[in-house]
Coordinates of all heavy atoms in Angstrom, one line a residue:
N34 N 20.4 33.0 9.6 CA 19.7 33.3 8.4 C 18.6 34.3 8.7 O 18.2 34.5 9.8 CB 19.0 32.0 7.9 CG 20.0 31.0 7.3 OD1 21.2 31.3 7.2 ND2 19.6 29.8 7.0
A35 N 18.1 34.9 7.6 CA 17.1 36.0 7.8 C 15.9 35.6 6.8 O 16.1 35.2 5.7 CB 17.7 37.3 7.4
L36 N 14.7 35.9 7.3 CA 13.5 35.8 6.5 C 13.1 37.3 6.3 O 13.0 38.1 7.2 CB 12.4 35.1 7.3 CG 11.0 35.2 6.6 CD1 11.0 34.5 5.3 CD2 10.0 34.5 7.6
V37 N 12.8 37.6 5.0 CA 12.4 38.9 4.7 C 11.0 38.8 4.0 O 10.9 38.1 3.0 CB 13.4 39.6 3.7 CG1 12.9 41.0 3.4 CG2 14.8 39.7 4.4
L38 N 10.0 39.5 4.5 CA 8.7 39.6 3.9 C 8.7 40.9 3.1 O 8.8 42.0 3.6 CB 7.6 39.5 4.9 CG 6.2 39.8 4.3 CD1 5.8 38.7 3.2 CD2 5.2 39.8 5.4
V39 N 8.5 40.7 1.8 CA 8.4 41.9 0.9 C 7.0 42.0 0.4 O 6.4 40.9 0.0 CB 9.4 41.8 -0.3 CG1 9.1 42.9 -1.3 CG2 10.8 41.7 0.2
T40 N 6.3 43.1 0.5 CA 5.0 43.3 -0.1 C 5.0 44.4 -1.2 O 5.6 45.4 -1.0 CB 4.0 43.7 1.0 OG1 4.4 44.8 1.7 CG2 3.8 42.6 2.0
I41 N 4.4 44.1 -2.3 CA 4.4 45.0 -3.4 C 2.9 45.1 -3.9 O 2.3 44.1 -4.3 CB 5.2 44.5 -4.6 CG1 6.7 44.3 -4.1 CG2 5.2 45.5 -5.8 CD1 7.5 43.5 -5.1
G42 N 2.4 46.3 -3.8 CA 1.0 46.6 -4.4 C 1.1 46.6 -5.9 O 1.9 47.3 -6.5
L43 N 0.2 45.9 -6.5 CA 0.1 45.8 -7.9 C -1.1 46.5 -8.5 O -2.2 46.5 -7.9 CB 0.2 44.3 -8.4 CG 1.4 43.5 -8.0 CD1 1.2 42.1 -8.4 CD2 2.7 44.1 -8.5
V44 N -1.0 47.0 -9.7 CA -2.1 47.5 -10.4 C -3.0 46.3 -10.8 O -2.5 45.4 -11.4 CB -1.7 48.3 -11.7 CG1 -2.9 48.7 -12.6 CG2 -0.8 49.5 -11.3
P45 N -4.2 46.2 -10.4 CA -5.1 45.0 -10.6 C -5.1 44.5 -12.0 O -4.9 43.3 -12.2 CB -6.5 45.4 -10.1 CG -6.2 46.5 -9.0 CD -5.0 47.2 -9.6
A46 N -5.2 45.4 -13.0 CA -5.3 44.9 -14.4 C -3.9 44.4 -14.9 O -3.9 43.8 -15.9 CB -5.7 46.1 -15.2
K47 N -2.9 44.7 -14.1 CA -1.5 44.2 -14.6 C -0.9 43.2 -13.6 O 0.3 42.8 -13.8 CB -0.6 45.4 -14.7 CG -1.0 46.4 -15.8 CD 0.1 47.3 -16.2 CE -0.2 48.0 -17.4 NZ 0.3 47.4 -18.6
A48 N -1.7 42.6 -12.7 CA -1.2 41.7 -11.7 C -0.6 40.4 -12.4 O 0.5 40.0 -12.0 CB -2.3 41.4 -10.7
D49 N -1.3 39.8 -13.3 CA -0.8 38.6 -13.9 C 0.5 38.9 -14.7 O 1.4 38.1 -14.7 CB -1.9 38.0 -14.8 CG -3.1 37.5 -14.0 OD1 -2.9 37.1 -12.9 OD2 -4.2 37.4 -14.6
E50 N 0.5 40.0 -15.4 CA 1.7 40.4 -16.1 C 2.9 40.6 -15.1 O 4.0 40.2 -15.4 CB 1.5 41.7 -16.9 CG 2.7 42.3 -17.6 CD 2.4 43.6 -18.3 OE1 1.2 44.0 -18.4 OE2 3.4 44.2 -18.7
A51 N 2.6 41.2 -14.0 CA 3.6 41.5 -13.0 C 4.2 40.2 -12.5 O 5.4 40.0 -12.3 CB 3.1 42.3 -11.8
V52 N 3.4 39.2 -12.2 CA 3.8 37.9 -11.7 C 4.7 37.2 -12.8 O 5.8 36.6 -12.5 CB 2.7 37.0 -11.2 CG1 3.1 35.6 -10.9 CG2 2.0 37.6 -10.0
A53 N 4.3 37.3 -14.0 CA 5.0 36.7 -15.1 C 6.4 37.3 -15.2 O 7.4 36.7 -15.4 CB 4.3 36.8 -16.4
L54 N 6.4 38.7 -15.2 CA 7.7 39.4 -15.2 C 8.6 39.0 -14.0 O 9.8 38.7 -14.2 CB 7.5 40.9 -15.2 CG 7.0 41.5 -16.5 CD1 6.5 42.9 -16.2 CD2 8.2 41.6 -17.5
F55 N 8.0 38.9 -12.9 CA 8.7 38.6 -11.6 C 9.4 37.2 -11.8 O 10.6 37.1 -11.4 CB 7.8 38.6 -10.5 CG 8.4 38.7 -9.1 CD1 8.9 39.9 -8.7 CD2 8.5 37.6 -8.3 CE1 9.5 40.0 -7.4 CE2 9.1 37.6 -7.1 CZ 9.7 38.8 -6.7
K56 N 8.7 36.3 -12.4 CA 9.2 34.9 -12.5 C 10.1 34.8 -13.7 O 11.1 34.0 -13.6 CB 8.0 33.9 -12.6 CG 7.2 33.7 -11.4 CD 6.1 32.7 -11.7 CE 5.3 32.4 -10.4 NZ 4.2 31.5 -10.7
D57 N 9.9 35.4 -14.8 CA 10.6 35.1 -16.1 C 11.6 36.2 -16.5 O 12.5 35.8 -17.3 CB 9.5 34.9 -17.2 CG 8.6 33.8 -16.9 OD1 9.0 32.8 -16.2 OD2 7.4 33.9 -17.3
H58 N 11.5 37.4 -16.1 CA 12.4 38.4 -16.6 C 13.7 38.2 -16.0 O 13.9 37.8 -14.8 CB 11.8 39.8 -16.2 CG 12.5 41.0 -16.9 ND1 13.7 41.4 -16.5 CD2 12.1 41.8 -17.9 CE1 14.1 42.4 -17.3 NE2 13.1 42.7 -18.1
A59 N 14.8 38.5 -16.8 CA 16.2 38.3 -16.3 C 16.5 39.1 -15.1 O 17.4 38.7 -14.3 CB 17.1 38.6 -17.5
L60 N 15.8 40.2 -14.9 CA 16.1 41.1 -13.7 C 15.1 40.9 -12.6 O 15.0 41.6 -11.7 CB 16.2 42.5 -14.1 CG 17.4 42.9 -15.0 CD1 17.3 44.3 -15.5 CD2 18.7 42.7 -14.2
G61 N 14.3 39.8 -12.8 CA 13.3 39.5 -11.7 C 13.9 38.6 -10.7 O 15.0 38.8 -10.3
I62 N 13.2 37.5 -10.3 CA 13.6 36.6 -9.3 C 14.9 35.9 -9.7 O 15.7 35.6 -8.8 CB 12.5 35.7 -8.9 CG1 12.8 35.1 -7.5 CG2 12.3 34.6 -9.9 CD1 12.6 36.1 -6.4
Q63 N 15.1 35.7 -11.0 CA 16.4 35.1 -11.4 C 17.6 35.9 -11.0 O 18.6 35.3 -10.5 CB 16.4 34.9 -12.9 CG 15.3 34.0 -13.5 CD 15.2 34.1 -15.0 OE1 16.2 34.1 -15.7 NE2 14.0 34.2 -15.5
W64 N 17.5 37.2 -11.2 CA 18.6 38.1 -10.8 C 18.8 38.1 -9.3 O 19.9 38.0 -8.8 CB 18.3 39.5 -11.4 CG 19.5 40.4 -11.1 CD1 20.6 40.5 -11.9 CD2 19.6 41.4 -10.1 NE1 21.4 41.5 -11.4 CE2 20.8 42.1 -10.2 CE3 18.8 41.7 -9.0 CZ2 21.2 43.1 -9.4 CZ3 19.2 42.7 -8.2 CH2 20.4 43.4 -8.3
T65 N 17.6 38.2 -8.6 CA 17.7 38.2 -7.1 C 18.3 36.9 -6.6 O 19.2 37.0 -5.7 CB 16.3 38.4 -6.6 OG1 15.7 39.6 -7.1 CG2 16.3 38.4 -5.0
A66 N 18.0 35.8 -7.2 CA 18.5 34.5 -6.7 C 20.0 34.4 -6.9 O 20.7 33.7 -6.2 CB 17.8 33.4 -7.4
A67 N 20.5 35.2 -7.8 CA 22.0 35.1 -8.1 C 22.8 36.0 -7.2 O 24.0 36.0 -7.2 CB 22.2 35.5 -9.6
Q68 N 22.1 36.8 -6.4 CA 22.8 37.7 -5.5 C 23.4 37.0 -4.3 O 22.9 36.0 -3.8 CB 21.9 38.8 -5.0 CG 21.3 39.6 -6.1 CD 22.3 40.2 -7.0 OE1 23.2 41.0 -6.6 NE2 22.2 39.8 -8.3
E69 N 24.6 37.5 -3.8 CA 25.3 36.9 -2.7 C 24.4 36.9 -1.5 O 23.8 37.9 -1.1 CB 26.5 37.7 -2.4 CG 27.4 37.1 -1.3 CD 28.7 37.8 -1.1 OE1 29.1 38.5 -2.0 OE2 29.3 37.6 0.0
G70 N 24.2 35.7 -0.9 CA 23.4 35.6 0.3 C 22.0 35.1 0.1 O 21.3 34.8 1.1
A71 N 21.5 35.1 -1.1 CA 20.2 34.7 -1.4 C 20.1 33.2 -1.3 O 20.9 32.4 -1.8 CB 19.8 35.1 -2.8
L72 N 19.1 32.7 -0.6 CA 18.9 31.3 -0.4 C 17.7 30.7 -1.0 O 17.7 29.6 -1.5 CB 18.8 31.0 1.1 CG 20.0 31.4 2.0 CD1 19.8 31.2 3.5 CD2 21.3 30.5 1.5
G73 N 16.6 31.5 -1.1 CA 15.4 30.9 -1.7 C 14.2 31.9 -1.6 O 14.3 32.9 -0.9
F74 N 13.1 31.6 -2.3 CA 12.0 32.5 -2.3 C 10.7 31.7 -2.5 O 10.6 30.7 -3.1 CB 12.1 33.4 -3.6 CG 13.4 34.1 -3.7 CD1 14.5 33.5 -4.3 CD2 13.7 35.3 -3.0 CE1 15.7 34.1 -4.4 CE2 14.9 35.9 -3.1 CZ 16.0 35.3 -3.8
D75 N 9.6 32.3 -1.9 CA 8.2 31.8 -2.1 C 7.4 33.1 -2.4 O 7.6 34.1 -1.8 CB 7.7 31.1 -0.8 CG 8.4 29.8 -0.6 OD1 8.5 29.0 -1.5 OD2 8.9 29.6 0.6
I76 N 6.5 32.9 -3.4 CA 5.7 34.1 -3.7 C 4.2 33.7 -3.7 O 3.8 32.6 -3.8 CB 6.0 34.7 -5.1 CG1 5.7 33.8 -6.2 CG2 7.5 35.1 -5.1 CD1 5.7 34.4 -7.6
G77 N 3.4 34.7 -3.4 CA 2.0 34.6 -3.4 C 1.3 35.9 -3.8 O 1.9 36.9 -3.7
L78 N 0.1 35.7 -4.3 CA -0.7 36.9 -4.7 C -2.0 36.9 -4.0 O -2.7 35.9 -3.8 CB -0.9 36.7 -6.2 CG -1.3 37.9 -7.0 CD1 -0.3 39.0 -7.0 CD2 -1.6 37.6 -8.4
E79 N -2.4 38.1 -3.5 CA -3.7 38.2 -2.8 C -4.5 39.3 -3.5 O -4.0 40.4 -3.7 CB -3.4 38.6 -1.3 CG -4.7 38.8 -0.6 CD -4.5 39.3 0.8 OE1 -3.6 40.1 1.1 OE2 -5.3 38.9 1.7
R80 N -5.7 38.9 -3.9 CA -6.6 39.9 -4.5 C -7.8 40.1 -3.5 O -8.3 39.2 -2.9 CB -7.2 39.3 -5.8 CG -6.2 39.0 -6.8 CD -6.9 38.4 -8.1 NE -5.9 37.9 -9.0 CZ -5.4 38.5 -10.0 NH1 -5.8 39.8 -10.2 NH2 -4.6 38.0 -10.8
S81 N -8.1 41.4 -3.3 CA -9.2 41.7 -2.4 C -10.5 41.2 -3.1 O -10.6 41.0 -4.3 CB -9.3 43.3 -2.2 OG -9.6 43.9 -3.4
E82 N -11.5 41.1 -2.2 CA -12.8 40.5 -2.7 C -13.4 41.4 -3.8 O -14.0 41.0 -4.7 CB -13.8 40.3 -1.6 CG -13.4 39.2 -0.7 CD -14.5 38.9 0.4 OE1 -15.7 39.2 0.2 OE2 -14.1 38.3 1.4
D83 N -13.2 42.8 -3.6 CA -13.8 43.7 -4.6 C -12.9 43.8 -5.9 O -13.3 44.5 -6.8 CB -14.1 45.0 -4.0 CG -12.8 45.7 -3.4 OD1 -11.7 45.3 -3.7 OD2 -13.0 46.7 -2.7
G84 N -11.7 43.2 -5.8 CA -10.8 43.3 -7.0 C -10.1 44.6 -7.1 O -9.3 44.8 -8.1
L85 N -10.2 45.5 -6.2 CA -9.5 46.8 -6.3 C -8.1 46.8 -5.8 O -7.4 47.8 -6.1 CB -10.4 47.8 -5.5 CG -11.8 48.1 -6.1 CD1 -12.5 49.1 -5.2 CD2 -11.8 48.5 -7.5
T86 N -7.7 45.8 -5.1 CA -6.3 45.8 -4.5 C -5.7 44.4 -4.8 O -6.4 43.4 -4.6 CB -6.3 46.0 -3.0 OG1 -7.5 46.5 -2.5 CG2 -5.2 46.9 -2.6
V87 N -4.5 44.4 -5.2 CA -3.8 43.2 -5.4 C -2.4 43.4 -4.8 O -1.7 44.4 -5.0 CB -3.6 42.8 -6.9 CG1 -2.8 41.5 -7.1 CG2 -5.0 42.7 -7.6
T88 N -2.0 42.4 -4.0 CA -0.7 42.5 -3.3 C 0.1 41.2 -3.6 O -0.4 40.1 -3.5 CB -0.9 42.6 -1.8 OG1 -1.7 43.7 -1.5 CG2 0.5 42.7 -1.1
L89 N 1.4 41.5 -4.0 CA 2.3 40.4 -4.2 C 3.1 40.3 -2.9 O 3.7 41.2 -2.4 CB 3.3 40.7 -5.4 CG 4.4 39.8 -5.7 CD1 3.8 38.4 -6.2 CD2 5.3 40.3 -6.8
Y90 N 3.2 39.1 -2.4 CA 4.0 38.8 -1.2 C 5.2 37.9 -1.6 O 5.0 36.9 -2.3 CB 3.2 38.0 -0.2 CG 2.0 38.8 0.4 CD1 0.7 38.7 -0.1 CD2 2.2 39.6 1.5 CE1 -0.3 39.4 0.5 CE2 1.2 40.4 2.1 CZ -0.1 40.3 1.5 OH -1.1 41.0 2.1
V91 N 6.3 38.3 -1.2 CA 7.5 37.5 -1.5 C 8.2 37.2 -0.2 O 8.6 38.1 0.6 CB 8.5 38.3 -2.4 CG1 9.7 37.4 -2.8 CG2 7.8 38.9 -3.6
F92 N 8.3 36.0 0.1 CA 9.0 35.5 1.3 C 10.4 35.2 0.8 O 10.6 34.3 0.0 CB 8.4 34.3 1.9 CG 7.0 34.6 2.5 CD1 5.9 34.5 1.7 CD2 6.9 35.0 3.8 CE1 4.6 34.8 2.2 CE2 5.6 35.3 4.3 CZ 4.5 35.1 3.5
E93 N 11.4 36.0 1.3 CA 12.8 35.8 0.8 C 13.6 35.3 2.0 O 13.5 35.7 3.1 CB 13.3 37.1 0.3 CG 12.5 37.8 -0.8 CD 13.1 39.0 -1.4 OE1 14.3 39.3 -1.1 OE2 12.4 39.6 -2.2
Y94 N 14.5 34.3 1.6 CA 15.4 33.7 2.6 C 16.8 34.1 2.2 O 17.2 33.9 1.1 CB 15.2 32.2 2.6 CG 13.7 31.8 2.7 CD1 12.9 31.5 1.6 CD2 13.1 31.7 4.0 CE1 11.6 31.2 1.8 CE2 11.8 31.4 4.1 CZ 11.0 31.2 3.0 OH 9.7 30.9 3.2
W95 N 17.5 34.7 3.2 CA 18.8 35.2 3.0 C 19.8 34.7 4.1 O 19.3 34.4 5.2 CB 18.8 36.8 3.0 CG 18.1 37.3 1.9 CD1 16.7 37.5 1.7 CD2 18.7 37.7 0.6 NE1 16.4 38.0 0.5 CE2 17.6 38.2 -0.2 CE3 20.0 37.8 0.2 CZ2 17.8 38.7 -1.5 CZ3 20.2 38.3 -1.1 CH2 19.1 38.7 -1.9
T96 N 21.0 34.7 3.8 CA 22.0 34.3 4.9 C 22.0 35.3 6.0 O 22.3 34.9 7.2 CB 23.4 34.2 4.3 OG1 23.8 35.4 3.7 CG2 23.5 33.1 3.3
S97 N 21.7 36.6 5.8 CA 21.6 37.6 6.8 C 20.8 38.8 6.3 O 20.6 38.9 5.1 CB 23.0 38.1 7.2 OG 23.6 38.8 6.1
G98 N 20.3 39.5 7.3 CA 19.6 40.8 6.9 C 20.5 41.7 6.2 O 20.1 42.4 5.3
D99 N 21.8 41.7 6.5 CA 22.8 42.6 5.8 C 22.9 42.2 4.3 O 23.0 43.1 3.5 CB 24.1 42.6 6.5 CG 24.1 43.3 7.8 OD1 23.2 44.2 8.0 OD2 25.1 43.1 8.6
A100 N 22.8 40.9 4.0 CA 22.9 40.4 2.6 C 21.7 41.0 1.9 O 21.8 41.4 0.7 CB 23.0 38.9 2.6
F101 N 20.5 40.9 2.5 CA 19.3 41.5 1.9 C 19.5 42.9 1.6 O 19.1 43.5 0.5 CB 18.1 41.2 2.7 CG 16.8 41.9 2.2 CD1 16.2 41.5 1.0 CD2 16.4 43.1 2.8 CE1 15.1 42.1 0.6 CE2 15.3 43.8 2.3 CZ 14.7 43.3 1.2
L102 N 19.9 43.7 2.6 CA 20.1 45.1 2.4 C 21.1 45.5 1.3 O 20.9 46.5 0.6 CB 20.5 45.8 3.8 CG 19.4 45.7 4.8 CD1 19.9 46.2 6.2 CD2 18.1 46.5 4.4
A103 N 22.1 44.7 1.2 CA 23.1 44.9 0.1 C 22.4 44.7 -1.2 O 22.6 45.5 -2.2 CB 24.3 44.0 0.3
Y104 N 21.7 43.7 -1.3 CA 20.9 43.4 -2.6 C 19.9 44.6 -2.8 O 19.8 45.1 -4.0 CB 20.1 42.1 -2.4 CG 18.8 42.1 -3.1 CD1 18.7 41.9 -4.5 CD2 17.6 42.2 -2.4 CE1 17.5 41.9 -5.2 CE2 16.4 42.2 -3.1 CZ 16.4 42.1 -4.5 OH 15.2 42.1 -5.1
L105 N 19.2 45.0 -1.8 CA 18.2 46.1 -2.0 C 18.9 47.4 -2.5 O 18.4 48.1 -3.3 CB 17.5 46.4 -0.6 CG 16.2 47.2 -0.7 CD1 15.2 46.5 -1.6 CD2 15.7 47.4 0.7
G106 N 20.2 47.6 -2.0 CA 20.9 48.7 -2.5 C 21.1 48.7 -4.0 O 21.0 49.7 -4.7
K107 N 21.4 47.5 -4.5 CA 21.6 47.3 -6.0 C 20.3 47.5 -6.7 O 20.2 48.1 -7.8 CB 22.1 45.9 -6.3 CG 23.5 45.6 -5.8 CD 23.9 44.2 -6.1 CE 25.2 43.8 -5.5 NZ 25.6 42.4 -5.7
R108 N 19.2 47.1 -6.1 CA 17.8 47.3 -6.7 C 17.5 48.8 -6.9 O 16.8 49.2 -7.7 CB 16.7 46.6 -5.9 CG 16.5 45.2 -6.2 CD 15.7 45.0 -7.4 NE 15.4 43.6 -7.7 CZ 15.3 43.1 -8.8 NH1 15.3 43.8 -9.9 NH2 15.1 41.8 -9.0
G109 N 18.1 49.6 -6.0 CA 17.9 51.0 -6.0 C 18.8 51.8 -7.1 O 18.6 53.0 -7.2
D110 N 19.6 51.1 -7.7 CA 20.5 51.7 -8.7 C 19.7 51.9 -10.0 O 19.4 50.9 -10.8 CB 21.7 50.8 -9.0 CG 22.7 51.3 -10.0 OD1 22.3 52.0 -11.0 OD2 23.9 51.1 -9.8
A111 N 19.4 53.1 -10.3 CA 18.5 53.4 -11.5 C 19.1 53.0 -12.8 O 18.4 52.6 -13.7 CB 18.2 54.9 -11.5
V112 N 20.4 53.1 -13.0 CA 21.0 52.7 -14.2 C 21.0 51.2 -14.4 O 20.6 50.6 -15.4 CB 22.5 53.2 -14.3 CG1 23.2 52.7 -15.5 CG2 22.5 54.7 -14.3
L113 N 21.4 50.4 -13.3 CA 21.4 49.0 -13.4 C 20.0 48.4 -13.6 O 19.8 47.4 -14.3 CB 22.0 48.4 -12.1 CG 22.1 46.9 -11.9 CD1 23.1 46.3 -12.9 CD2 22.6 46.6 -10.5
M114 N 19.0 49.1 -13.0 CA 17.7 48.5 -13.0 C 16.8 49.2 -14.0 O 15.6 49.0 -14.0 CB 17.0 48.7 -11.6 CG 17.6 47.8 -10.6 SD 17.2 46.1 -10.9 CE 18.8 45.3 -11.1
A115 N 17.3 50.0 -15.0 CA 16.5 50.7 -15.9 C 15.6 49.8 -16.7 O 14.4 50.1 -16.8 CB 17.4 51.5 -16.9
E116 N 16.1 48.7 -17.2 CA 15.2 47.8 -18.0 C 14.1 47.2 -17.1 O 13.0 47.1 -17.5 CB 16.1 46.6 -18.6 CG 15.3 45.7 -19.4 CD 16.1 44.5 -19.9 OE1 17.4 44.6 -20.0 OE2 15.5 43.5 -20.2
W117 N 14.5 46.8 -15.9 CA 13.5 46.2 -15.0 C 12.4 47.3 -14.6 O 11.2 47.0 -14.6 CB 14.2 45.7 -13.7 CG 13.2 45.2 -12.7 CD1 12.9 45.8 -11.5 CD2 12.3 44.1 -12.7 NE1 11.9 45.1 -10.8 CE2 11.6 44.1 -11.6 CE3 12.1 43.1 -13.7 CZ2 10.6 43.1 -11.3 CZ3 11.2 42.1 -13.4 CH2 10.5 42.1 -12.2
D118 N 12.9 48.4 -14.3 CA 12.0 49.5 -13.9 C 11.0 49.8 -15.0 O 9.8 50.1 -14.8 CB 12.7 50.7 -13.4 CG 13.5 50.5 -12.1 OD1 13.2 49.6 -11.4 OD2 14.4 51.3 -11.8
A119 N 11.5 49.8 -16.2 CA 10.6 50.1 -17.4 C 9.5 49.0 -17.6 O 8.4 49.3 -17.9 CB 11.4 50.3 -18.6
A120 N 9.9 47.8 -17.3 CA 9.0 46.6 -17.5 C 8.1 46.5 -16.3 O 6.8 46.4 -16.5 CB 9.8 45.4 -17.7
F121 N 8.6 46.5 -15.1 CA 7.8 46.2 -13.9 C 7.1 47.4 -13.4 O 6.0 47.3 -12.8 CB 8.7 45.6 -12.9 CG 7.9 45.0 -11.7 CD1 7.3 43.7 -11.9 CD2 7.8 45.6 -10.5 CE1 6.6 43.1 -10.8 CE2 7.1 45.0 -9.4 CZ 6.5 43.8 -9.6
G122 N 7.7 48.6 -13.6 CA 7.1 49.8 -13.0 C 5.6 50.1 -13.3 O 4.9 50.4 -12.3
P123 N 5.2 49.9 -14.5 CA 3.8 50.1 -14.8 C 2.8 49.1 -14.1 O 1.6 49.4 -14.0 CB 3.7 50.0 -16.3 CG 5.1 50.2 -16.8 CD 6.0 49.7 -15.7
C124 N 3.4 48.1 -13.6 CA 2.6 47.0 -12.9 C 2.4 47.3 -11.4 O 1.6 46.7 -10.8 CB 3.2 45.7 -13.1 SG 3.3 45.1 -14.8
Q125 N 3.2 48.2 -10.9 CA 3.3 48.4 -9.5 C 2.6 49.7 -9.1 O 2.7 50.7 -9.8 CB 4.8 48.5 -9.1 CG 5.0 48.7 -7.6 CD 6.5 48.7 -7.2 OE1 7.3 48.4 -8.0 NE2 6.8 49.0 -6.0
V126 N 1.9 49.7 -8.0 CA 1.2 50.9 -7.4 C 2.4 51.7 -6.9 O 3.1 51.3 -6.0 CB 0.2 50.5 -6.4 CG1 -0.3 51.8 -5.7 CG2 -0.9 49.7 -6.9
P127 N 2.5 53.0 -7.3 CA 3.6 53.9 -6.8 C 3.6 53.9 -5.2 O 2.6 54.1 -4.6 CB 3.2 55.2 -7.4 CG 2.5 54.9 -8.6 CD 1.6 53.7 -8.2
G128 N 4.8 53.7 -4.7 CA 4.9 53.8 -3.2 C 4.5 52.6 -2.5 O 4.6 52.5 -1.2
A129 N 3.9 51.6 -3.2 CA 3.3 50.4 -2.5 C 4.4 49.3 -2.4 O 4.2 48.2 -2.9 CB 2.1 49.9 -3.2
F130 N 5.5 49.5 -1.7 CA 6.5 48.6 -1.5 C 6.9 48.6 0.0 O 7.1 49.7 0.5 CB 7.8 48.9 -2.4 CG 9.0 48.0 -2.0 CD1 9.1 46.8 -2.6 CD2 9.9 48.5 -1.1 CE1 10.2 46.0 -2.2 CE2 11.0 47.8 -0.8 CZ 11.2 46.5 -1.4
A131 N 7.0 47.5 0.6 CA 7.5 47.5 2.0 C 8.2 46.1 2.2 O 8.0 45.2 1.5 CB 6.3 47.6 2.9
F132 N 9.0 46.1 3.3 CA 9.7 44.9 3.7 C 9.9 44.9 5.2 O 10.0 45.9 5.8 CB 11.0 44.7 2.9 CG 12.1 45.7 3.3 CD1 13.0 45.4 4.4 CD2 12.2 46.9 2.7 CE1 14.0 46.3 4.7 CE2 13.2 47.8 3.0 CZ 14.1 47.5 4.1
K133 N 10.0 43.7 5.7 CA 10.3 43.4 7.1 C 11.3 42.3 7.2 O 11.1 41.2 6.7 CB 9.0 43.1 7.8 CG 9.3 42.9 9.3 CD 8.0 42.6 10.1 CE 8.4 42.4 11.6 NZ 7.2 42.1 12.4
I134 N 12.4 42.5 7.9 CA 13.4 41.5 8.1 C 13.2 40.9 9.5 O 13.1 41.6 10.5 CB 14.8 42.1 8.0 CG1 15.0 42.8 6.7 CG2 15.9 41.1 8.3 CD1 16.4 43.6 6.6
S135 N 13.1 39.6 9.5 CA 13.0 38.8 10.7 C 14.2 38.0 11.0 O 14.8 37.5 10.1 CB 11.7 37.9 10.7 OG 10.6 38.7 10.6

């Protein structure tokens, strides 16, 4: 099994909206959970003391790192993800996405 830590920088004024989308939108965690190899997820939100930075942490559990990378390839499909990108994109700080597979 593989543990993947995903970090996403959020626009502070849109952080609550981002978490709601992540949990409730059909292309959010529901879609991710339906992907082959997905086992489970834990999420957390960290706000800096000055309120200028908000980070969404997603601990993702997969059958393998390759299963996660296959899923990530689908997330990169602009046509498939057009609705998600339009909804979640304004909530995310551009370029503030990272992951680490353990």
Side-chain angles (χ1 to χ4, degrees):
N34 289 352
L36 168 64
V37 181
L38 172 59
V39 175
T40 57
I41 304 170
L43 300 177
V44 174
K47 296 199 168 264
D49 293 334
E50 178 183 348
V52 172
L54 282 166
F55 198 77
K56 290 180 177 179
D57 300 330
H58 193 284
L60 291 172
I62 201 69
Q63 298 170 44
W64 185 82
T65 303
Q68 300 307 299
E69 185 174 342
L72 299 173
F74 310 90
D75 291 309
I76 67 168
L78 197 63
E79 178 183 40
R80 296 178 192 269
S81 64
E82 287 186 29
D83 60 11
L85 298 177
T86 347
V87 180
T88 304
L89 176 65
Y90 293 95
V91 187
F92 294 88
E93 302 190 9
Y94 308 95
W95 292 84
T96 55
S97 69
D99 288 341
F101 170 77
L102 293 173
Y104 148 77
L105 195 60
K107 292 178 187 177
R108 276 280 182 211
D110 182 325
V112 174
L113 179 65
M114 291 290 120
E116 181 184 338
W117 173 252
D118 291 343
F121 192 78
C124 300
Q125 185 176 351
V126 173
F130 170 85
F132 69 90
K133 181 178 180 183
I134 301 173
S135 296

